[in-house]
Each structure stands twice: as structure tokens, then as C-alpha cells.
Amino acid sequence: MIYIIFLVVILLAVYAAAENLYILTVRREKTGSGIRIAHLSDLHRRRFGRNNERLCRKVRAEKPDLIIFSGDLVSRDTDSLAVAEKTLNELCSIAPVYMIYGNHEQSISAEMKLELETMFARTDAVLLRNQHTTVNIRGRELIIYGLLEGYGVYKKADGYKHLDTITASDLEKLLGHCPEGEVLLMAHNPFFGEAYSEWGAEYTFSGHVHGGAVRLFGKALLSPERKFFPKNSKGIYTFGNMKLFVSAGLGKLRLFDPAEIIICEI
């Protein structure tokens, strides 16, 4: 029996190493047709080849109409943006890139945040911070919003207790009135699907939870807020007339929860 347990431990360690060093999956979600979106999130410090060339190659092979990056391109303790910039430039050569800040970009040092904003300005990526833009793809007009919520929904001075929430009223104050038409919302935090739907988004793209870091029997184990079995952790969820696309992300340690690119057809 001891040898069997030892073998299982060795195999698990080998798989975990492969999952955290190499495995990159493509997940497909189809709610319509006509527009193909590559959804990326939570890269942090993970690298898929030099300057993320393997990641970019996989995205290019999917021929997306646009690329959504729903936050945490970098980690809060990063000391270099060179790889992030090269990755963004390569993604921008594939399709228009729209992105938002995640909680790590919000909590990065003031000095590095200035460098980050300067870096974004050198690329063609469109960074939206409680702003919106419009894109026309084959005769369909998408109105793309990027949410920059208060950091209190992620962490407070006393830790992860009594975190703030987001309501449709909060979104109205931050983003304004939701217009008519096909509205696509980028919102890093997936826990407020009801509010995003009530505000009026037709599609929302989120990340943050890393799929729960560990997934057992398809269930997320832990959120970044140290909460067990978090909701809306990975997949597609329906709230009223809205579809919430949640990426398990690309970076951070994970088990039975491989890094992923989502290809969404809407």
C-alpha cells in the first residue's frame, strides 16, 4: 500500500508541474454566431514561452475578431513590464485588444502604476477605466464598457472581512446609464452577475477567481478572498438576459484547473 501511495504522490506532482509550467487549453463557448472573441485573464507572472509566444500563437490560430483581457495582466509585485508590453503588442497584431485593470493593477505601487499606464499608452491596446467605446464588426455594433470598481470589493485594511458589494446603482454611478444595443461589459470580479445584468449588460467578461485554484469534481475550492467554494468561478452563467463569461485565467498556482484561453462566439 505504501508503494501505491508513493506512486500516486509522484504522479500527482508530475501532473501539477506540467499543469503549472506547460498546459494551456482552449475552451469554447458559443451563444450565437458572427463575432469571435478571445477572452484572456489573470496572466500574472506566468509565461508561455519567450514573451508568451506560445500563448499568442494559440490566440492567433483562432482568428478572433477582438481580444478581451479582463484584468491582472501583471502581479502587484512585478518589477518589470517588458514581457507584458511585448505580449500586448503581439496580441494587438492579431486583433483589437480591449482591457481593464484587475485587483493587482489596482494595488500595484504608485511608481509602477505610472510605468504601467505609460506602457499601455505605447501599445494599441484600449484600456477602459469606467469608460466605453464602440466597435463595428460585420455590421454589428458592440458597445464595450470597462469597469474600474472600488478596491474594497477585493480587500480592506482588516483583510477580507466585510467586503464591499456592487449594485446596479453603483454601476450607474461609475459607468452611467446603460445604452440600448449590444453592450459588452468587462468586469474583473465575477461575483456580481446580478448587478451587471440589472444594469443592462448583454455580455460580461470576468476572471479573478482563477477557477478556484483547485477544482475537485468540477467545483471551485478557494477564491482569492480565502472563501471556500466560490460562485461564478469558471464557465458561462446566465443572469436574466445576460451571459457572464468567467475565465479560469492563465497564471497563479492551480490544480485540476489548467490555464485557459476562452473563445466566445456571440
Side-chain angles (χ1 to χ4, degrees):
M1 178 62 72
I2 186 84
Y3 296 107
I4 294 175
I5 294 174
F6 180 73
L7 179 60
V8 169
V9 170
I10 293 297
L11 290 174
L12 184 61
V14 170
Y15 172 78
E19 184 175 357
N20 283 278
L21 294 173
Y22 183 77
I23 296 176
L24 175 60
T25 62
V26 176
R27 176 161 61 88
R28 303 179 191 282
E29 300 286 4
K30 185 179 176 69
T31 64
S33 61
I35 297 177
R36 175 173 287 198
I37 299 173
H39 178 200
L40 309 176
S41 191
D42 298 276
L43 180 59
H44 294 285
R45 290 182 173 273
R46 183 83 181 266
R47 299 291 178 263
F48 297 90
R50 184 179 181 184
N51 298 322
N52 285 308
E53 59 187 13
R54 188 159 63 91
L55 169 66
C56 295
R57 188 166 62 246
K58 276 186 173 273
V59 173
R60 186 180 294 277
E62 297 296 329
K63 299 179 180 178
D65 296 299
L66 58 91
I67 298 169
I68 294 294
F69 205 115
S70 57
D72 285 354
L73 171 67
V74 298
S75 290
R76 63 174 59 89
D77 58 353
T78 190
D79 56 5
S80 173
L81 299 174
V83 174
E85 184 169 0
K86 290 175 182 177
T87 302
L88 270 187
N89 281 330
E90 183 62 23
L91 290 174
C92 287
S93 75
I94 299 169
V97 176
Y98 300 88
M99 58 191 307
I100 54 172
Y101 280 165
N103 55 306
H104 277 252
E105 283 96 357
Q106 283 204 51
S107 56
I108 208 167
S109 71
E111 179 182 0
M112 187 56 67
K113 184 173 288 187
L114 181 59
E115 289 188 33
L116 186 67
E117 293 179 356
T118 302
M119 182 271 286
F120 278 128
R122 289 196 299 265
T123 74
D124 291 328
V126 179
L127 174 66
L128 298 175
R129 291 169 289 186
N130 293 331
Q131 299 161 306
H132 69 276
T133 189
T134 300
V135 58
N136 193 293
I137 300 174
R138 287 187 288 279
R140 283 172 63 184
E141 186 177 84
L142 291 180
I143 309 168
I144 304 176
Y145 278 79
L147 176 64
L148 181 62
E149 67 284 88
Y151 190 68
V153 303
Y154 297 109
K155 193 175 182 181
K156 289 190 168 182
D158 59 350
Y160 300 100
K161 297 180 180 179
H162 313 297
L163 295 179
D164 294 339
T165 60
I166 295 175
T167 66
S169 178
D170 295 327
L171 294 173
E172 187 99 11
K173 293 174 184 175
L174 293 170
L175 301 174
H177 179 73
C178 184
E180 296 292 328
E182 285 191 275
V183 175
L184 185 159
L185 173 65
M186 297 182 293
H188 186 63
N189 195 316
F191 297 146
F192 308 107
E194 295 89 346
Y196 304 148
S197 174
E198 186 180 344
W199 175 71
E202 188 166 349
Y203 313 100
T204 297
F205 292 79
S206 300
H208 179 58
V209 189
H210 311 139
V214 176
R215 293 184 73 83
L216 298 176
F217 307 106
K219 299 295 184 181
L221 186 62
L222 187 67
S223 80
E225 291 78 20
R226 315 312 195 248
K227 303 293 184 182
F228 286 107
F229 310 113
K231 65 179 183 178
N232 306 345
S233 61
K234 174 182 178 178
I236 181 170
Y237 304 87
T238 301
F239 293 90
N241 296 320
M242 185 197 77
K243 299 296 183 183
L244 172 65
F245 298 96
V246 183
S247 171
L250 296 160
K252 293 286 189 178
L253 291 174
R254 51 186 63 228
L255 186 62
F256 308 126
D257 178 33
E260 66 177 11
I261 300 164
I262 307 179
I263 301 300
C264 309
E265 291 192 45
I266 64 172

